[in-house]
Amino acid sequence: MTRLSVLDLAPISSGGTAGDALRNTVDLARRAEDAGYHRYWLAEHHLTPGVASSAPAVLIGAVAAATRRIRVGSGAVQLGHQTPLTVVEQFGTLDALYPGRIDLGIGRSGQRARELREAPPEPAAPAAARTVNGLLIPPPFSFTPAITQAPIFALALTLLQQPGAQSPDFAEQVDDIVAFLSGSYRSDDGHEAHAQPGEGAELELWVLGSSGGQSAQVAAERGLPFAANYHVSPATVLEAVDAYRDAFKPSQAYPAPHVMVSADVLVAPTEEEARRVGEPYGLWVRSIRTGAGAMKYPSPEEASAYEWTEEDRALVADRLDTRFAGTPEKVVEGLRVLKEATGADELLVTTIAHDHTDRVRSQDLLAQAWADAGV
């Protein structure tokens, strides 16, 4: 059976606090372990009113301490804001405390945001939605306007790095992480350096990406597993997994490509209940895509009071259309299609709702239905 895992942003609901969100994350992780999920990953986001997962290594430690068996990791550490040594020391510490259970997922979103601000690409030609092996592939969405125009993105790039600091190339950073973990690091002038904790850690190293660009290439060329983001960029998920598989070079740990694909899900006992609980999702996505940062997650009542414009609806259509929401049977069938269309070896699901009890229920219902279906 294909493994299911969880991605959590520690969302802050309207009327709640960061403390509430973090305690809910720890509780949800315990329940995910009980339900049989394989991994529990924490995202990294900064300067957003509605997301509390700004320090994934710290939160991973809390989740690992509260659980016993489930693997815990990052989805993903933003390498544009940290050095390879810092990352290896943080996750080496986690591995020393919780050996054999820690995943280090890394991404280049920090570098990518800076690149888009410095050299915005030309707008892409309009594209139509299509269906590939039953999977909806919507038209691409461009983050460039929000990243280049919203002040919060420029401020984040300034606050997350020391003045004048420049991030090295992503491939170089990944190579340094691999070298620190293996104990083979050498500086350009030949000096050794050894990360302690970190060297020899039993970490699973993953690369996360949303397209067939550098992240997919770096993972493939180094024989690392790759996590592709259908929930963030559904239009490019097939491009990402195809590029990874085409460029893959076998490694000792992975003689063949290994792909995990993410998805937004919401499971409820009935379609009507899924629609009610899921109504705030579009408004929350809108807050991200306008460049304001993820708002505190609204209640269904707050969401129903919002007056939508056609521009609003276009802004979030691809995310709404590709969210798997509904009864357990409906969501399992959607995830089966996603698995088969992408050839995924694992699936990573993320569920956001205003009430913690709805997230717990969704997670439990999906786990049971997935096991019953034997996908």
Side-chain angles (χ1 to χ4, degrees), residues 55-281:
V58 178
L59 191 50
I60 288 167
V63 168
T67 53
R68 305 175 305 280
R69 299 177 308 276
I70 195 168
R71 297 194 65 89
V72 189
S74 54
V77 168
Q78 298 178 7
L79 276 187
H81 311 315
Q82 299 192 59
T83 68
L85 176 59
T86 299
V87 172
V88 170
E89 288 175 338
Q90 290 173 355
F91 281 77
T93 299
L94 290 167
D95 175 75
L97 292 170
Y98 311 102
R101 293 181 54 205
I102 304 300
D103 297 334
L104 171 52
I106 52 179
R108 62 183 297 265
S109 57
Q111 286 104 324
R112 183 61 178 153
R114 189 176 295 278
E115 291 168 4
L116 288 174
R117 289 190 66 86
E118 293 174 351
E122 292 295 324
R130 57 196 175 103
T131 301
V132 179
N133 295 327
L135 181 69
L136 175 63
I137 304 296
F141 174 82
S142 175
F143 290 92
T144 302
I147 291 176
T148 56
Q149 299 169 20
I152 192 65
F153 284 99
L155 184 59
L157 292 173
T158 298
L159 295 177
L160 288 167
Q161 289 186 325
Q162 296 294 334
Q166 293 292 323
S167 298
D169 180 73
F170 181 69
E172 294 176 14
Q173 290 183 298
V174 174
D175 287 341
D176 284 349
I177 287 174
V178 171
F180 278 124
L181 290 172
S182 67
S184 62
Y185 178 86
R186 302 292 184 277
S187 66
D188 290 342
D189 53 5
H191 291 293
E192 296 183 10
H194 298 275
Q196 193 62 259
E199 187 171 313
E202 299 179 68
L203 302 174
E204 278 194 22
L205 180 60
W206 287 74
V207 176
L208 282 74
S210 298
S211 71
Q214 189 181 24
S215 295
Q217 297 295 321
V218 165
E221 291 168 1
R222 287 149 185 80
L224 296 171
F226 180 65
N229 297 321
Y230 185 67
H231 84 285
V232 171
S233 183
T236 55
V237 67
L238 296 181
E239 167 198 329
V241 297
D242 288 347
Y244 167 71
R245 291 194 179 99
D246 289 345
F248 186 82
K249 296 179 180 179
S251 63
Q252 183 175 357
Y254 292 91
H258 191 86
V259 172
M260 179 155 54
V261 176
S262 66
D264 270 312
V265 306
L266 178 67
V267 185
T270 66
E271 290 292 319
E272 181 180 0
E273 180 69 0
R275 283 192 293 271
R276 185 191 71 81
V277 174
E279 186 171 3
Y281 180 71

Side-chain angles (χ1 to χ4, degrees), residues 8-13 17 21 24-25 50-52 284 297 351-353 359:
D8 187 7
L9 283 65
I12 305 172
S13 294
T17 66
N24 287 341
T25 281
V51 173
W284 182 78
Y297 201 83
T351 300
I352 301 181
R359 295 180 76 205

Side-chain angles (χ1 to χ4, degrees), residues 10-17 20-21 24-25 28 50 265-266 273-284 295-304 323 351-362:
I12 305 172
S13 294
S14 63
T17 66
D20 296 330
N24 287 341
T25 281
L28 194 65
V265 306
L266 178 67
E273 180 69 0
R275 283 192 293 271
R276 185 191 71 81
V277 174
E279 186 171 3
Y281 180 71
L283 188 57
W284 182 78
M295 66 191 300
K296 287 193 172 185
Y297 201 83
S299 67
E301 294 75 21
E302 290 168 328
S304 65
R323 189 188 201 196
T351 300
I352 301 181
H354 181 266
D355 291 340
H356 180 59
T357 54
D358 290 327
R359 295 180 76 205
V360 171
R361 180 180 64 178
S362 176

Side-chain angles (χ1 to χ4, degrees), residues 281-353:
Y281 180 71
L283 188 57
W284 182 78
V285 172
R286 178 192 174 278
S287 70
I288 298 170
R289 289 190 163 179
T290 57
M295 66 191 300
K296 287 193 172 185
Y297 201 83
S299 67
E301 294 75 21
E302 290 168 328
S304 65
Y306 183 77
E307 296 184 6
W308 285 84
T309 66
E310 289 304 312
E311 184 180 15
D312 287 334
R313 296 186 189 282
L315 193 63
V316 303
D318 63 323
R319 292 288 297 271
L320 291 178
D321 292 343
T322 56
R323 189 188 201 196
F324 301 101
T327 64
E329 296 76 18
K330 178 182 177 181
V331 173
V332 165
E333 176 58 20
L335 292 178
R336 183 192 64 77
V337 170
L338 177 65
K339 170 189 175 298
E340 293 183 357
T342 61
D345 302 288
E346 303 183 34
L347 293 178
L348 182 70
V349 298
T350 182
T351 300
I352 301 181

